[in-house]
Amino acid sequence: QNGTVYLLLPEGGQGGLKEMMLEWRPPAVWNAIERNRARLYGIVFAALSAAVQTLTVFQLQKESRYETANELKWPKRGQHFGVGFAGDGMLGHWLSLDGEFISDYRIIGPSTFNIGPGGPAEQAINNTPVIEANPTGQEALIALRSFDPCMNCGSQ
């Protein structure tokens, strides 16, 4: 509800870790600290996804199923869309085919969404508190870099 994410960590390990439920709620105000805290949950999610995929592979091996690929059937014409997720946000792809040839391909990376006017990076900069007695703007750069480390070179 309200964008809350729940991650169930299974019990395991030789240290006898107990099953644990993690909960992440979108903060009322975004800033660099909240962005980095959300990334930690993203790392846990990626690790859980990898664990599930590994267990799936083990199960397929037990069943003596070793297929490594499926036949790719190319559509003949038209537009085809896809979405991917990068470490710092959403990644969009647009592809148009003409027969077996690509007639148009476009990509919009995470920086387009994150750094755009009114986007989450701007919100984080506006909501990151100034903690220095003599502000130099470093807080804004830290907030911006929390969204896209490549912005380091472009923001100086």
Coordinates of all heavy atoms in Angstrom, one line a residue, residues 78-83 93-96:
G78 N 7.1 -3.4 -37.7 CA 6.4 -2.6 -36.7 C 7.2 -2.2 -35.6 O 8.4 -2.4 -35.6
Q79 N 6.6 -1.5 -34.6 CA 7.3 -0.9 -33.5 C 7.3 -1.9 -32.3 O 6.3 -2.6 -32.1 CB 6.7 0.4 -33.0 CG 7.0 1.5 -33.8 CD 6.6 2.8 -33.1 OE1 5.7 2.9 -32.4 NE2 7.4 3.9 -33.4
H80 N 8.3 -2.0 -31.6 CA 8.4 -2.9 -30.5 C 9.1 -2.2 -29.3 O 10.0 -1.4 -29.5 CB 9.2 -4.2 -30.8 CG 8.6 -4.9 -32.0 ND1 7.6 -5.7 -31.9 CD2 8.8 -4.7 -33.3 CE1 7.2 -6.2 -33.1 NE2 8.0 -5.6 -34.0
F81 N 8.5 -2.3 -28.1 CA 9.0 -1.6 -27.0 C 9.5 -2.5 -25.9 O 9.1 -3.6 -25.8 CB 7.8 -0.8 -26.4 CG 7.1 0.1 -27.4 CD1 6.0 -0.3 -28.1 CD2 7.6 1.4 -27.6 CE1 5.4 0.5 -29.0 CE2 7.0 2.2 -28.5 CZ 5.9 1.8 -29.2
G82 N 10.4 -2.0 -25.1 CA 10.9 -2.7 -24.0 C 11.3 -1.8 -22.9 O 11.4 -0.6 -23.1
V83 N 11.4 -2.3 -21.7 CA 11.9 -1.5 -20.5 C 12.9 -2.3 -19.8 O 12.9 -3.5 -19.8 CB 10.7 -1.1 -19.7 CG1 10.0 -2.3 -19.0 CG2 11.1 -0.1 -18.6
H93 N 13.6 1.6 -24.0 CA 14.1 1.3 -25.3 C 12.9 1.4 -26.3 O 11.8 0.9 -26.0 CB 14.6 -0.1 -25.4 CG 15.8 -0.4 -24.6 ND1 17.1 -0.2 -25.1 CD2 16.0 -0.8 -23.3 CE1 18.0 -0.5 -24.1 NE2 17.3 -0.8 -23.1
W94 N 13.1 2.0 -27.5 CA 12.1 2.0 -28.5 C 12.7 1.4 -29.8 O 13.8 1.9 -30.1 CB 11.5 3.4 -28.8 CG 10.6 3.8 -27.7 CD1 9.3 3.8 -27.6 CD2 11.0 4.4 -26.4 NE1 8.8 4.3 -26.5 CE2 9.9 4.7 -25.7 CE3 12.3 4.7 -25.8 CZ2 9.9 5.3 -24.4 CZ3 12.3 5.3 -24.6 CH2 11.1 5.6 -23.9
L95 N 12.1 0.5 -30.4 CA 12.7 -0.2 -31.6 C 11.7 -0.3 -32.7 O 10.5 -0.7 -32.4 CB 13.2 -1.6 -31.2 CG 13.7 -2.5 -32.3 CD1 15.0 -2.0 -32.8 CD2 13.8 -3.9 -31.7
S96 N 12.0 0.1 -33.9 CA 11.2 -0.1 -35.0 C 11.9 -1.1 -36.0 O 13.1 -0.9 -36.3 CB 10.8 1.2 -35.8 OG 10.0 2.0 -34.9

